[in-house]
Amino acid sequence: MALLSTNSITATNNSDTRIAGCLLIGIPGLEYLHIWLSIPFCAMYVAALVSNSILICVILSQPSLHEPMYIFLSMLASADVLLSTATMPKALVNFWLGSSHISFDGCLTQMFFIHFLFVADSAVLLAMAFDRYVAICSPLRYATILTSTVIGKITAATLTRSFIIMFPSIFLLKRLHYCRINIIAHTFCEHMGIARLSCSDISINVWYGLAAALLSTGLDIILIAVSYIRILRAVFQLPSQDARSKALSTCGSHVCVILLFYIPALFSVFAYRFGGRLIPSYVHILLANLYVVIPPMLNPIIYGVRTRPILEGAKQMFSNLVKGCN
């Protein structure tokens, strides 16, 4: 009888968490600043949406920009828009209205798309590094290597890899028994945040998360580093200073975007793993929220300022719009 009662309580707690959903409490310790924090976050989110949308429209509308480098850039902009949109609207509603509730399935869905888009972002940066490697190290073969078919295969591989890596996480979370409080101290759902709500053993989730990070982002970082080592070696073998400067300038924007993407992510990971007791939790969550809006906001600006064809394409697009209105 006692065993039956215990099982009934466990089943009730498990179903309550799944039915009642989760509560995203925002930034713990800074609840009184939620309204004020929403102002810069909203401004950065809107700027990211507008700037990336303009960048995508410029690339699509200008035939001169239908080259591999700019196609990959439009893919990066699309992933950035989706990543910030997967997180910011819910966070802003929480800040403004105090609406912290999200269904359990909704939380899993948000978690999947956040991690899926992060892995896809990393893969696109790797594709852009490969593009620069071919352009500098094998310029005569550039058009024959990076054909439209190859670009299509790279796009399909990016999406497929992201899906394969992240889809199992949904089942790893669904298999757990949830019998603790359903409060997540964050503004959005992420894998370990959901797993920690469980009273089951989450060792598999921990190791899976580590393996997924190493096999996606970790591997991408290594391959990007190898690409740029070979690029630098080829650049410094060029005979003239002008040729070296021109080759390096074509990589400058991409290097800035890479640093903007990986440095905050790596800092957040290492700070969470090794400085959890030294760094307040609200700092981790602030960094996580800034991470999903600052790179998407700055990437189009970096490429727009440093890449003349994009700047000229934007002028041409707006000029055509003005003429069309007249």
Side-chain angles (χ1 to χ4, degrees):
M1 190 69 169
L3 179 60
L4 179 60
S5 300
T6 302
N7 289 338
S8 299
I9 292 171
T10 302
T12 302
N13 286 334
N14 184 35
S15 62
D16 284 348
T17 302
R18 292 176 183 270
I19 295 172
C22 303
L23 297 177
L24 296 167
I25 64 172
I27 305 175
L30 297 180
E31 290 88 353
Y32 63 99
L33 291 177
H34 276 180
I35 291 293
W36 296 106
L37 289 171
S38 69
I39 297 172
F41 278 121
C42 182
M44 288 187 286
Y45 174 58
V46 171
L49 285 182
V50 172
S51 58
N52 281 284
S53 298
I54 291 174
L55 179 61
I56 293 169
C57 289
V58 169
I59 293 173
L60 292 178
S61 65
Q62 302 301 309
S64 61
L65 297 179
H66 293 175
E67 297 179 4
M69 173 182 173
Y70 303 112
I71 293 173
F72 290 138
L73 181 56
S74 67
M75 291 168 55
L76 181 68
S78 301
D80 282 344
V81 167
L82 293 173
L83 179 60
S84 56
T85 300
T87 54
M88 271 299 107
K90 177 59 181 173
L92 291 173
V93 169
N94 192 349
F95 290 161
W96 289 331
L97 305 177
S99 177
S100 59
H101 180 264
I102 184 171
S103 68
F104 185 75
D105 287 338
C107 198
L108 291 181
T109 302
Q110 186 187 48
M111 177 277 303
F112 170 78
F113 279 107
I114 289 171
H115 294 308
F116 172 88
L117 292 166
F118 179 84
V119 174
D121 250 339
S122 181
V124 173
L125 289 175
L126 174 59
M128 295 172 76
F130 176 68
D131 169 80
R132 292 300 85 204
Y133 168 75
V134 175
I136 292 174
C137 297
S138 301
L140 298 179
R141 300 175 57 202
Y142 182 80
T144 58
I145 293 176
L146 285 172
T147 62
S148 58
T149 302
V150 171
I151 294 172
K153 290 180 179 178
I154 290 174
T155 303
T158 295
L159 297 176
T160 303
R161 187 190 75 156
S162 301
F163 182 83
I164 290 173
I165 289 176
M166 294 317 308
F167 191 65
S169 64
I170 296 175
F171 297 99
L172 289 176
L173 290 170
K174 277 185 170 291
R175 73 181 178 85
L176 299 174
H177 295 285
Y178 296 90
C179 49
R180 293 177 182 170
I181 194 166
N182 60 346
I183 293 176
I184 299 176
H186 214 306
T187 57
F188 55 80
C189 299
E190 47 91 22
H191 180 238
M192 290 310 301
I194 301 173
R196 289 193 181 95
L197 297 178
S198 170
C199 54
S200 304
D201 181 11
I202 61 171
S203 301
I204 295 177
N205 296 74
V206 172
W207 286 109
Y208 173 79
L210 181 61
L214 291 175
L215 292 174
S216 57
T217 308
L219 183 61
D220 291 345
I221 291 174
I222 293 172
L223 293 175
I224 289 171
V226 170
S227 297
Y228 270 94
I229 288 172
R230 301 196 66 172
I231 287 171
L232 290 175
R233 183 183 300 172
V235 167
F236 289 118
Q237 290 177 350
L238 294 174
S240 67
Q241 179 65 34
D242 289 341
R244 288 195 293 269
S245 298
K246 184 177 180 180
L248 289 174
S249 67
T250 62
C251 300
S253 299
H254 186 230
V255 171
C256 291
V257 170
I258 288 172
L259 296 177
L260 195 61
F261 182 82
Y262 286 116
I263 288 179
L266 293 175
F267 176 80
S268 181
V269 169
F270 285 111
Y272 183 79
R273 293 283 182 182
F274 304 109
R277 295 182 180 179
L278 300 176
I279 302 175
S281 60
Y282 66 82
V283 174
H284 293 292
I285 297 170
L286 273 174
L287 286 174
N289 281 274
L290 290 171
Y291 179 73
V292 297
V293 288
I294 289 183
M297 178 184 67
L298 293 181
N299 288 349
I301 298 173
I302 292 171
Y303 271 98
V305 170
R306 296 183 59 92
T307 310
R308 183 175 294 276
I310 291 178
L311 196 59
E312 295 297 327
K315 292 178 181 178
Q316 183 65 38
M317 185 185 75
F318 285 115
S319 175
N320 292 338
L321 287 174
V322 171
K323 291 179 181 177
C325 293
N326 293 333

